[in-house]
Amino acid sequence: MPVDRGKHDKQAVLRQHATLNPRPGGVTHALFESSEFFDADDVLQVKYEMLRLVNVDKRPISEAAKAYGFSRPSFYQAQAAFEHGGLAALVAHKPGPHGGHKLTAAVLQFVIEARTTDPGVRAERLAERVHQRFGVQVHPRSIERQLLRKKNGAEPRVAGARATQRRLDRSLRGPATSGAWALRRSGAGLGAVHAARHVRMDAGLEPVRVAAAVAGTAAADPRDLPGAVARGCGDAPGQHGSVCPSGGHRMMNDLHQKVQASHLKRNAYLYVRQSTLRQVFENTESTKRQYGLRQRAVALGWAEERVIVIDSDLGQSGASTDREGFQHLVAEVGMGHAGIVLGLEVSRLARNSMDWHRLLEICALTATLICDEDGVYDPAHFNDRLLLGLKGTMSEAELHVLRARLQGGILNKARRGELEMRPPVGLVYNGDGTLVLDPDRQVQHCLKWLFATFERTGSASATVKAARQERLAFPHRCAKGAHKGELMWDALDHSQVLRALHNPRYAGAFVYGRCHTLKSIDGTTRLRRMPRDEWVTLIPGAHAGYISWDEYERNQHRLHESAQAMGADRRRGPPREGPALLQGLVLCGRCGRRMTVRYHSRRGQLCPGYICQREGIDHGEPVCQHVPGAGVDRAIGELLVEAVNPVALEVTLAVQRELQARFDEADRLRHGQVERAQYECELAQRRYMRVDPDNRLVADSLKAQWNEKLRALAEAHEEYARRRERDARVLSDDQRSAILALASDFPRLWNDPGTPDRDRKRMVRLLLEDVTLNRDEQISLQIRFKGGARRTLHLPLPLCGWQLRVTPPTVIDEIDHLLDDHTVAQIADILNARGMTPGAGASFHRQLVARLARTYHLKPRYDRLRERGLLTLQEMADVLQITPHTVKIWLRRGLLRGHAYSDKNESLYERPGNEAPRKTQGAKLSLRRLDAKLLSDRAKEVQYEA
């Protein structure tokens, strides 16, 4: 049987480049059996067609792997390699050198001598010595294997021995004379061999020139090329078309051969785009060239009315993902309405690979052609698809290069601090390009007031509230729209204050790179604030500013503390309106974490409490400790009164000066608003006076504007006068005298109910660093002052609720004493008259006194009177031999002496003695009453019965 010399040579070349398929018999797909172009010996071609069968033809993985002689794991490995590195990644990696290739003869001799000198030396130490001596990093296991070989009597493997043996074998084999060995002698590597096999990708090169370029020779006969190269230049039809030796690739040269009748039945879509509106108005020639492709579609066979132009994306970048026109084009292609898509170049359709390859996939599925200035392409064909993919990649790379060049110039200028950027309001560029303060004095006053107010209050929200109370307007410049660049005035808001405080340009510093633009998955962009150490450029003192750099740093520190007040640790924070004096300053004495503030209402007043609950929030643990804050705040206040008393006068005078400066600054700002209203009114007047009287429409409009400015000026004057009068009332001479008088009595200033809690907290923060609380048998306070001094206080635990409602023992003793001579109602009146109160508050009443007597087991008044020998009603009736009713009558008439023991006219009676009254007829009771002394005593006793 004759031997196929060409196939044998091709297999040798494939084996040399590690692309020979070890199991060509396992390839059973019809494509490799019916076509001579596909070779089962080429493992690179087999793997690629297997991946294409799954990804393009949508066949199952198990079917594709079985048809090409691979297992499912091998398919997944090939797919991952192709996605990571492309076609070249399908080639198996060249195996590394075998044996100890780093252990040359000199290195091995050095190792043997070192082991002979010190038999106990370890392989790791020998590797370190080899690295120090020869600069070669050898693994200790390699040294152990070579020493073991020498110990067993085998010859150690020395680096270079295998290469020498291979060169000897090649010299004995002799020079290669076939076409494949000629390729090897010419220097053609793996890429050349596969380029020769797929030579038909390039339509502009003739097969003879392609073969000569691949082989590196001047061969003009394609039959000199081996195997697949010769078949690629022949006339045998393949999957991707045929090659004409005299005319090149018919598919790329003959455009009308690709345009079929099925394409002409559908519409032709011309996509027109320019990146910016400026290009639309200035680069008109490019726009004309794009619209000129309409005639190209007509020349290819489409009727002019079937050529649809999509130009709604004019002025949008090709890298954006929200282009309406491109989405409409993709939708038309996906529904099968498009026969061809025309564009001047690939970059007009898309500047990112995602959009471009999605369009190619849809065009391949719907058999839609793509046309540009260079030709017509069919994405369903491998070669055309490969060329279109390369064009899309180059288009995206071109955009990256352009962006990198522009960004590099911007960064280079920013590092020098010379880049001109849109300045914030209050800063402008002068004629020399230098950033200076805005020449508008009112703008300067507003910004200076903002920074001064924040320095005073320490809170952005408090700054906004102060501006609203003063009814001040603040400037801002329009960044876009019809009024772009104009100065507008509006009420100050919180975000404007934060932007001004965080902007280092107001401190005279040039900064670049504070924000990075990030794209989200839905195509939108957002700004991300970068930390200061990641800013590209920061040059303090580069231009004029409203505050110094030190003031800017202090503002950032205060804002950071305010943000910490809302974080997990609740650290610091600005003083708020609540009565908790140690807000943000309290530390837990048990765990060391920051304690938070909780309020509860007691008798109509807010009472603070300090609680450590971080573990409870994070991990569901019980509360660490809870300390009532009323007693703690009271002790801190007394301590501060004692500590601050020597400097009270200086503090109060500083407050007085601060108030005066605040009113003066607000007055200047309001006066500036009046001047601005005056200027705008005069400007409107001049415009009205210059208009042509015959032009009634313009004259009426300017007259209306003038009247509006006049009304605004009048309102500004009224507001300025009213505010000035109110400020004068706020700080009168009498009030200044009162402030100076309070300065000498700081305790009264501290305890004054009119002093806001926020001001008390500000005073506390000026003196205290933090306070550590620990609750055991008593409350311990570890107070740390700003200067480092420490103070420890111990407070008793506050009473529980029931303990607070217990009546004091002194009141109980007083009730016990009064029960000897008074009833419970009389006792209640006596206690209220003396100003005593029960534990529950309010006042005493008959039921409360009776309940207290029962609760504390006080002896009732009845028992006390009986012990004194007093008689009951029935006993007195028996002694006098009268009825009980008569006893009561005689008691009222003063014939008997009684003592009330209840509030229901119930009494006990003293014994009548020898002069007991007798029942006598005809004698009036008024004439038989007891003497005056006894009567007065009885009346005194009985008067409480009523």
Side-chain angles (χ1 to χ4, degrees), residues 246-317:
S246 60
H249 200 301
R250 296 192 189 99
M251 190 182 337
M252 298 299 297
N253 287 342
D254 190 2
L255 301 181
H256 292 278
Q257 184 177 354
K258 293 183 180 180
V259 180
Q260 305 295 332
S262 59
H263 298 141
L264 297 176
K265 292 179 182 179
R266 293 175 282 177
N267 297 328
Y269 287 86
L270 173 60
Y271 184 76
V272 179
R273 185 188 63 81
Q274 291 280 25
S275 298
T276 61
L277 291 177
R278 182 176 180 180
Q279 293 181 3
V280 174
F281 291 105
E282 295 183 0
N283 301 347
T284 56
E285 192 63 32
S286 175
T287 306
K288 292 179 181 179
R289 290 176 58 199
Q290 295 187 59
Y291 282 108
L293 288 178
R294 186 187 185 97
Q295 302 302 322
R296 183 74 172 274
V298 174
L300 291 175
W302 271 270
E304 188 171 359
E305 61 273 8
R306 305 208 65 172
V307 180
I308 300 175
V309 178
I310 299 178
D311 54 2
S312 58
D313 290 342
L314 284 171
Q316 296 190 27
S317 173

Side-chain angles (χ1 to χ4, degrees), residues 806-857:
V806 173
T807 303
T810 56
V811 178
I812 302 299
D813 295 340
E814 186 67 19
I815 294 175
D816 189 18
H817 175 70
L818 293 175
L819 280 173
D820 292 336
D821 301 316
H822 304 281
T823 62
V824 291
Q826 297 168 359
I827 294 174
D829 295 338
I830 293 172
L831 294 177
N832 290 331
R834 295 179 181 179
M836 295 183 178
T837 57
S843 60
F844 286 97
H845 50 83
R846 182 176 60 84
Q847 293 83 356
L848 179 59
V849 175
R851 186 169 64 248
L852 291 175
R854 291 192 302 268
T855 302
Y856 288 94
H857 305 288

Side-chain angles (χ1 to χ4, degrees), residues 492-725:
L492 184 65
D493 57 14
H494 187 259
S495 60
Q496 187 177 0
V497 176
L498 290 180
R499 285 196 301 269
L501 295 174
H502 284 297
N503 197 337
R505 302 303 296 268
Y506 287 114
F510 177 84
V511 61
Y512 183 80
R514 292 173 59 211
C515 301
H516 285 184
T517 303
L518 301 178
K519 287 187 176 181
S520 58
I521 193 171
D522 57 354
T524 59
T525 59
R526 60 184 180 88
L527 292 179
R528 176 188 175 189
R529 296 281 183 181
M530 306 303 296
R532 183 180 298 182
D533 54 356
E534 297 184 18
W535 291 357
V536 177
T537 305
L538 175 59
I539 306 176
H543 53 79
Y546 287 90
I547 58 176
S548 64
W549 184 254
D550 294 336
E551 294 177 355
Y552 173 78
E553 294 286 356
R554 288 199 303 270
N555 292 342
Q556 301 310 302
H557 179 69
R558 299 178 73 173
L559 290 173
H560 180 66
E561 288 185 345
S562 299
Q564 285 178 336
M566 304 303 296
D569 196 22
R570 299 294 179 94
R571 186 183 302 273
R572 292 294 183 183
R576 306 303 295 266
E577 298 81 2
L581 195 61
L582 301 179
Q583 168 219 332
L585 301 178
V586 187
L587 299 176
C588 179
R590 297 181 181 179
C591 63
R593 290 183 173 86
R594 190 73 54 172
M595 300 181 72
T596 56
V597 179
R598 292 292 180 270
Y599 292 101
H600 60 276
S601 179
R602 177 177 296 173
R603 297 177 182 176
Q605 294 182 352
L606 288 179
C607 296
Y610 302 107
I611 181 172
C612 179
Q613 58 178 355
R614 176 49 51 191
E615 284 296 320
I617 295 175
D618 293 341
H619 307 106
E621 298 289 338
V623 173
C624 184
Q625 66 172 343
H626 178 233
V627 180
V632 174
D633 290 352
R634 192 180 307 110
I636 293 295
E638 295 174 357
L639 178 64
L640 291 182
V641 168
E642 178 184 354
V644 179
N645 192 36
V647 294
L649 179 60
E650 182 179 353
V651 172
T652 308
L653 291 178
V655 171
Q656 193 270 341
R657 290 193 297 270
E658 180 180 350
L659 291 175
Q660 187 63 47
R662 187 192 309 177
F663 290 136
D664 294 341
E665 183 68 22
D667 183 75
R668 285 196 298 271
L669 291 175
R670 287 192 293 267
H671 189 265
Q673 293 180 0
V674 174
E675 292 180 349
R676 176 169 293 278
Q678 180 69 34
Y679 167 75
E680 293 178 354
C681 180
E682 293 176 356
L683 180 62
Q685 179 185 6
R686 290 195 299 270
R687 290 175 178 173
Y688 175 72
M689 298 303 294
R690 294 174 183 173
V691 72
D692 187 1
D694 296 333
N695 194 347
R696 301 301 303 169
L697 294 177
V698 178
D700 292 343
S701 176
L702 293 178
K703 184 178 180 180
Q705 293 179 7
W706 185 17
N707 292 332
E708 182 180 355
K709 296 301 180 182
L710 287 173
R711 285 193 297 268
L713 178 59
E715 292 176 358
H717 276 293
E718 293 176 0
E719 181 67 19
Y720 175 72
R722 187 174 61 85
R723 290 283 177 172
R724 187 179 180 87
E725 182 181 358

